[in-house]
Amino acid sequence: MTDGRRCATLNKHGLDRAAGGQAATAEEGEMGLKYLKQFGIILFLSFVGEILHELVPLPVPASIYGIILLFLCLEWRVISVSAVKEASSFLIEIMPVMFIPAAVGLMDSWENIKNAWIPYMVITLISTFGVMAAAGKAVQFIMNWEKKNRKEGK
């Protein structure tokens, strides 16, 4: 560091770790525990979803049970939004990375699907637009229903 400036990487809070070598502050420790607690809550509900998947004889993925449990806990205020907000935001931010293994799996399976890729693309496009249309109609129905109930004073 000939020019008097320190070359170091900065973490999210702008703290110099590489050059100074100082220990983590109490605030950073609390922040780390906060993230661990939030991830723990999400993982616990995911685990309960896995148990429900084994116990309930329905063809519903365990992750869906877990996300429904999280939704219900948030809706019924068993868990506050602030109890999972930062961890949820982090998981949403890294979501695109989670699709890489699936894409690699498709590349590995190319020999099996190369003769049928056009039907796969057609089915994907049709189902995508079908889901978009159904979701749009559902939202319109709910919005009209709520507007009608407000006018009637219910």
Side-chain angles (χ1 to χ4, degrees):
M1 293 178 234
T2 57
D3 61 358
R5 291 181 287 163
R6 296 181 350 179
C7 296
T9 57
L10 299 176
N11 68 8
K12 182 178 180 182
H13 303 290
L15 301 172
D16 185 353
R17 286 281 170 240
Q22 65 268 34
T25 64
E27 183 180 312
E28 289 175 313
E30 289 174 14
M31 188 63 125
L33 289 176
K34 182 178 181 180
Y35 280 108
L36 282 176
K37 180 182 175 187
Q38 291 181 6
F39 277 116
I41 292 169
I42 294 169
L43 287 175
F44 174 75
L45 292 172
S46 295
F47 179 69
V48 174
E50 291 286 341
I51 293 171
L52 285 174
H53 177 68
E54 293 298 321
L55 296 177
V56 179
L58 294 174
V60 177
S63 60
I64 300 301
Y65 284 122
I67 203 76
I68 289 172
L69 286 172
L70 178 60
F71 170 75
L72 292 175
C73 287
L74 290 168
E75 183 67 26
W76 294 333
R77 298 198 184 1
V78 176
I79 299 172
S80 68
V81 172
S82 63
V84 293
K85 186 173 185 171
E86 287 85 5
S88 299
S89 295
F90 171 74
L91 291 171
I92 290 170
E93 286 176 15
I94 66 165
M95 190 184 301
V97 176
M98 300 300 140
F99 287 99
I100 292 173
V104 170
L106 280 175
M107 290 168 46
D108 284 344
S109 302
W110 178 248
E111 288 299 319
N112 297 332
I113 63 173
K114 71 179 177 184
N115 294 328
W117 74 272
I118 292 176
Y120 287 154
M121 292 304 292
V122 170
I123 291 168
T124 301
L125 288 171
I126 290 171
S127 63
T128 299
F129 286 109
V131 168
M132 287 176 14
K137 287 293 184 185
V139 169
Q140 285 178 341
F141 173 79
I142 291 169
M143 289 175 66
N144 290 335
W145 180 74
E146 285 178 345
K147 189 187 296 184
K148 181 179 133 187
N149 283 342
R150 273 193 230 125
K151 285 182 180 177
E152 293 175 1
K154 292 184 179 179

